[in-house]
């Protein structure tokens, strides 16, 4: 069992290398073992490229016939952008396949396992399945609902402030936390902020990672009335990567100007006199946006919690206090009226992250609904 876990952990580590490059496909890693020696390994490297199993076979240092294949996700049996991997596994003479988790894709969902077994291949599944499921939680949500997985990422002080009363916010979190934040921007298909953040901070919303190539996300600005300045950084820097989510209350001439700049515009229904976030999630899903990183500000963040579009929370808490009645907090908006109606989080991770405390959790009301 220890040997099996070692090989599957290697496969999971390989799979992680595809983060940000394979969306909306899953991250998958594969390891081929023969006579207790790794003879091949690979991962799904980019969207539309060869699957992990194919790359593992290509790297083999000897014949894989009679070997064991460790793979983090059930091999596919359907023709997509690449041929079915299950057929290739049989052709290569693999004796045994160890799978971390079944593929939630309705086109697969156990068919790969059944096919391999019908071809006399020994199949075991469920090894490190929880780790595999967490790795591809965004894919699982998207492939089963066609709605993107939404992660709320925030940085605050111990007293919940995101800036001082004068608006100074640089920097709440430490250097390492900010590096992780940019990694998330690379890994997620879209980053979403409210117009208040754009007007106040004029962010670029790009991914910057030292000594690493990054993929910039789609920049989604929730701006009910199209108040954005035409010289905002999100528009002057790669406007084709900017999507403005507005309502019918927005000025039509402004929307025409935005489109002429190259920005995308989605006119959403209103909910509580704001953009209907549930509608926006469906619209993004129809564009094959599988994951959204929500960075704020406080009004949009509260609306997202209220409308139950948030799947996961990642908070960087700086061990410092600011105070001040007028200092902005991480959640604003109308707020919850009664403690009994507060949105509980199931905390999955709580750890020190160099200078800061990292809290990872899942809104329970969403998980149970």
């Amino acid at each position: 069992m220890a040997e099996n876990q070692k090989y599957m952990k290697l496969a999971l580590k390989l799979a992680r290398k595809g983060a940000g490059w394979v969306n909306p496909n899953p991250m998958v890693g594969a390891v081929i073992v023969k006579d207790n020696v790794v003879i091949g390994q690979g991962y799904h490297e980019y969207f539309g490229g060869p699957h992990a199993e194919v790359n593992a076979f290509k790297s083999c240092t000897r014949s894989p016939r009679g070997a064991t294949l460790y793979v983090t996700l059930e091999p596919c049996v359907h023709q997509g952008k690449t041929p079915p991997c299950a057929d290739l596994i049989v052709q290569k003479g693999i004796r045994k396949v160890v799978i971390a988790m079944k593929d939630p894709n309705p086109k697969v969902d156990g068919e790969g396992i059944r096919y391999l077994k019908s071809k006399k291949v020994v199949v075991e599944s469920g090894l490190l399945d929880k780790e595999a499921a967490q790795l591809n939680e965004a894919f699982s949500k998207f492939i089963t609902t066609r709605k993107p997985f939404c992660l709320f990422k925030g940085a605050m002080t111990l007293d919940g402030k995101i800036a001082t009363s004068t608006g100074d916010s640089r920097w709440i979190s430490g250097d390492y936390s900010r590096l992780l934040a940019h990694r998330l921007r690379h890994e997620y298909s879209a980053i979403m902020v409210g117009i208040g953040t754009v007007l106040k901070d004029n962010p670029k919303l790009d991914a910057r990672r030292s000594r690493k190539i990054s993929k910039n996300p789609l920049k989604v600005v929730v701006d009910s009335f199209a108040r954005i300045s035409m010289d905002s950084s999100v528009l002057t820097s790669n406007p084709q990567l900017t999507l403005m989510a507005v309502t019918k209350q927005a000025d039509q001439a402004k929307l025409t100007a935005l489109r002429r700049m190259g920005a995308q515009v989605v006119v959403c229904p209103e909910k509580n006199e704001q953009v209907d976030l549930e509608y926006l999630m469906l619209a993004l899903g129809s564009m094959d946006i599988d994951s959204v990183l929500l960075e704020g500000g406080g009004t949009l963040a509260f609306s997202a919690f209220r409308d139950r579009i948030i799947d996961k929370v990642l908070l960087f808490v700086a061990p410092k206090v600011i105070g001040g009645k007028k200092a902005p907090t991480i959640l604003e908006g109308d707020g919850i009226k009664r403690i009994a109606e507060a949105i509980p989080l199931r905390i999955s991770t709580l750890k020190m992250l160099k200078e800061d405390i990292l809290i990872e959790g899942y809104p329970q009301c969403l998980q149970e609904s």
Side-chain angles (χ1 to χ4, degrees):
M1 179 59 72
E3 286 294 298
N4 281 347
Q5 288 200 359
K6 179 181 76 172
Y7 298 133
M8 189 60 78
K9 284 180 179 178
L10 174 57
L12 287 166
K13 184 178 180 180
L14 289 166
R16 191 78 179 75
K17 291 184 176 183
W21 300 114
V22 301
N23 312 55
N25 281 351
M27 292 173 274
V28 185
V31 174
I32 302 170
V33 178
K34 190 171 184 179
D35 300 327
N36 296 319
V37 175
V38 174
I39 64 168
Q41 54 185 300
Y43 66 98
H44 186 30
E45 299 176 7
Y46 57 92
F47 178 72
H51 285 188
E53 297 93 328
V54 175
N55 287 329
F57 283 124
K58 284 181 179 178
S59 75
C60 277
T61 55
R62 50 193 282 208
S63 171
R65 187 163 297 278
T68 297
L69 169 68
Y70 294 83
V71 63
T72 58
L73 190 70
E74 176 184 1
C76 60
V77 289
H78 64 285
Q79 177 72 44
K81 290 185 177 294
T82 58
C85 291
D87 279 340
L88 182 62
I89 291 168
V90 173
Q91 293 168 16
K92 293 292 185 179
I94 290 292
R95 179 184 64 84
K96 182 179 179 180
V97 177
V98 181
I99 299 167
M101 66 174 284
K102 291 183 178 179
D103 192 337
N105 187 341
K107 293 181 179 179
V108 185
D109 193 25
E111 284 299 319
I113 292 174
R114 286 188 285 272
Y115 176 81
L116 290 171
K117 286 182 175 180
S118 74
K119 298 298 182 179
K120 310 303 181 186
V121 177
V122 177
V123 180
E124 293 180 5
S125 63
L127 181 63
L128 301 184
D129 56 342
K130 290 182 180 178
E131 291 86 344
Q134 184 173 24
L135 179 69
N136 277 314
E137 56 190 357
F139 169 74
S140 294
K141 162 83 181 285
F142 178 69
I143 203 67
T144 55
T145 67
R146 301 305 297 178
K147 291 189 287 187
F149 183 90
C150 185
L151 170 67
F152 170 60
K153 189 275 295 180
M156 66 180 189
T157 60
L158 277 176
D159 53 344
K161 306 297 185 179
I162 59 173
T164 67
S165 58
T166 63
D168 182 29
S169 61
R170 297 196 175 187
W171 295 99
I172 292 290
S173 56
D175 292 341
Y176 188 67
S177 297
R178 295 199 300 277
L179 285 174
L180 287 184
H182 278 279
R183 190 183 79 183
L184 289 171
R185 288 185 178 185
H186 161 75
E187 294 176 359
Y188 275 67
S189 294
I191 178 172
M192 185 165 73
V193 298
I195 183 58
T197 296
V198 173
L199 294 176
K200 175 181 173 293
D201 298 331
N202 193 27
K204 291 183 178 180
L205 301 181
D206 55 357
R208 299 183 297 277
R209 302 187 300 164
S210 62
R211 298 186 298 277
K212 288 186 178 180
I213 298 173
S214 295
K215 173 183 66 63
N216 285 321
L218 176 70
K219 300 169 287 186
V220 179
V221 180
V222 180
D223 184 7
S224 298
F225 305 106
R227 293 189 292 138
I228 193 169
S229 170
M230 299 302 285
D231 60 0
S232 296
S233 293
V234 292
L235 292 175
T236 58
S237 175
N238 293 326
Q240 294 81 7
L241 273 180
T242 299
L243 184 146
M244 300 298 302
V246 303
T247 67
K248 292 179 180 178
Q249 302 298 321
D251 180 73
Q252 292 301 309
K254 185 77 166 286
L255 299 187
T256 299
L258 287 167
R259 291 188 176 104
R260 283 176 178 166
M261 283 192 74
Q264 303 174 64
V265 176
V266 174
V267 180
C268 304
E270 290 184 43
K271 184 175 183 180
N272 299 311
E273 299 182 346
Q274 299 170 329
V275 166
D276 186 332
L277 296 178
E278 293 177 89
Y279 177 91
L280 177 57
M281 291 298 107
L282 287 170
L284 292 173
S286 70
M287 299 165 58
D288 272 350
I289 298 297
D290 70 323
S291 50
V292 173
L293 177 62
L294 173 59
E295 288 202 352
T299 301
L300 175 62
F302 174 74
S303 297
F305 273 104
R306 179 197 62 205
D307 294 348
R308 298 189 176 189
I309 69 164
I310 293 177
D311 296 285
K312 187 174 181 178
V313 174
L314 204 62
L315 288 179
F316 297 94
V317 183
K320 59 186 78 167
V321 294
I322 290 176
K325 284 184 178 181
K326 296 182 179 180
T329 58
I330 199 163
L331 291 183
E332 296 185 335
D334 294 333
I336 299 293
K337 306 303 180 186
R338 300 173 61 244
I339 289 294
E341 298 169 355
I343 300 169
L345 296 182
R346 175 176 62 81
I347 304 300
S348 61
T349 302
L350 180 62
K351 64 181 179 182
M352 287 302 301
L353 196 69
K354 294 199 174 180
E355 309 102 315
D356 304 317
I357 302 164
L358 176 64
I359 302 173
E360 185 177 21
Y362 298 83
Q364 282 187 298
C365 57
L366 184 65
Q367 302 299 312
E368 296 168 358
S369 63

